[in-house]
Amino acid sequence: MQLGLVGLGKMGGNMRERIRRAGHTVVGYDRNPEVTDVKDLAELVEKLQAPRVVWVMVPAGPVTQSVVDELGGLLEAGDVVVDGGNSRWTDDEKHAEQLGAKGIGFVDAGVSGGVWGLQNGYALMVGGDKEHVERLQPIFEALKPEGPYGYVHAGKVGAGHFSKMVHNGIEYAMMQAYAEGWELLEKVDSVTDVREVFRSWQDGTVIRSWLLDLAVHALDADEHLDKLKGFAEDSGEGRWTVEAAIDNAVPLPAITASLFARFASRQDDSPQMKMVAALRNQFGGHAVESKE
């Protein structure tokens, strides 16, 4: 299968490689001349055979809107655009209507896997019409982890990104719980090897998880996280999750508190946020701030 892929950063570049390893043809475009396959979007569309599929992996908001606008002028009826970035689900509905007026299909795909996705595969939460989703099935199969799990057609347009947003909200709360436990263990005199306590939880406990494995990995590199500042950004999806909870009158105390904790991290050097920052760097390659 042929695929156009727009955005070849940490996620998009690895996705291009994984799809190619599965035997598909990928024509990638990025503003970085060192990684791009074509000089612009027009050349990307020109190199694809109709009906075309173009997957967009660029930052949410104005950048995604700009790419959708340009693709809307280049593609033809019967083509399909996939937004695999972290767009807000309400933007998906707008983009589907915008492209649908020209006969172009639209699919939203929440993608999880971070910098480890090339090796382990990407969890995919997809929204859109059945006919458009089915056309993309070979690409979804190439990207997802091996085995029966890691992919879902979650519902209509917007369902993929809404599901990914909730996933990220849960992720916020889980990281915060590990971070609070780590700080408490570090605080008391009786526990002399916090890193090994975390390591002991990796087998046979109810709180074992990939995030716990990554926490141990981070502590192996910097046992007391002395090299990090207690500062953690938020991607925006935590805020959207809390806003959706308010709109739907659903109580989310743990997720909401974890979002507010990140706000607190920007006021002082928070020990808990050192762990959250370390975890975000481990699974997603997100930047950290060093004390130096």
Side-chain angles (χ1 to χ4, degrees):
M1 181 174 174
Q2 275 192 331
L3 179 76
L5 183 58
V6 182
L8 303 171
K10 286 179 292 188
M11 288 277 282
N14 282 345
M15 289 170 64
R16 173 176 64 174
E17 178 62 22
R18 186 172 174 90
I19 295 168
R20 284 177 173 172
R21 289 180 183 179
H24 302 291
T25 299
V26 182
V27 181
Y29 168 67
D30 195 275
R31 290 180 297 178
N32 181 354
E34 295 182 2
V35 300
T36 194
D37 299 320
V38 292
K39 68 178 183 298
D40 53 27
L41 286 180
E43 185 181 357
L44 179 144
V45 171
E46 183 182 330
K47 286 185 175 293
L48 298 174
Q49 297 176 354
R52 307 168 187 85
V53 175
V54 180
W55 189 304
V56 180
M57 287 295 294
V58 299
V63 179
T64 293
Q65 184 64 60
S66 175
V67 173
V68 170
D69 289 344
E70 189 171 354
L71 287 174
L74 293 169
L75 296 174
E76 302 171 342
D79 296 339
V80 175
V81 172
V82 185
D83 181 3
N86 283 331
S87 293
R88 191 182 176 107
W89 79 97
T90 49
D91 289 344
D92 296 326
E93 296 166 353
K94 179 176 65 174
H95 294 154
E97 182 178 357
Q98 174 186 345
L99 295 171
K102 300 183 178 183
I104 302 168
F106 180 84
V107 171
D108 60 288
V111 182
S112 182
V115 296
W116 298 86
L118 175 59
Q119 175 183 340
N120 299 334
Y122 299 88
L124 302 168
M125 295 142 273
V126 176
D129 293 345
K130 183 179 179 181
E131 62 176 302
H132 299 144
V133 172
E134 286 182 347
R135 276 184 57 188
L136 283 148
Q137 210 60 45
I139 301 300
F140 296 146
E141 289 296 327
L143 287 171
K144 69 179 286 295
E146 293 184 11
Y149 307 116
Y151 164 80
V152 61
H153 182 188
K156 60 185 181 180
V157 167
H161 280 145
F162 194 93
S163 299
K164 176 58 163 47
M165 176 196 74
V166 174
H167 165 282
N168 282 22
I170 294 170
E171 175 189 294
Y172 274 48
M174 290 176 66
M175 287 196 289
Q176 184 64 26
Y178 284 126
E180 291 176 7
W182 173 78
E183 182 180 2
L184 182 58
L185 287 166
E186 284 277 332
K187 191 73 172 180
V188 300
D189 294 332
S190 58
V191 180
T192 57
D193 199 335
V194 175
R195 178 178 60 186
E196 294 309 309
V197 170
F198 261 59
R199 197 188 311 278
S200 75
W201 294 343
Q202 289 182 276
D203 289 308
T205 72
V206 297
I207 63 167
R208 62 189 184 274
S209 71
W210 187 47
L211 278 175
L212 177 62
D213 295 341
L214 293 175
V216 172
H217 193 270
L219 294 173
D220 281 339
D222 182 7
E223 182 174 357
H224 301 287
L225 303 182
D226 292 327
K227 299 176 183 177
L228 298 181
K229 290 178 65 177
F231 176 97
E233 270 291 359
D234 67 283
S235 62
E237 291 189 271
R239 301 186 190 207
W240 299 343
T241 306
V242 172
E243 290 170 5
I246 293 169
D247 291 340
N248 291 278
V250 175
L252 300 184
I255 292 174
T256 303
S258 67
L259 174 64
F260 289 172
R262 294 203 185 182
F263 296 162
S265 81
R266 295 160 206 178
Q267 299 169 356
D268 298 298
D269 192 20
S270 166
Q272 293 173 20
M273 287 304 122
K274 291 183 179 183
M275 175 57 77
V276 172
L279 283 168
R280 295 182 81 240
N281 177 257
Q282 286 289 322
F283 72 74
H286 300 290
V288 296
E289 294 194 11
S290 65
K291 287 190 173 181
E292 290 76 15

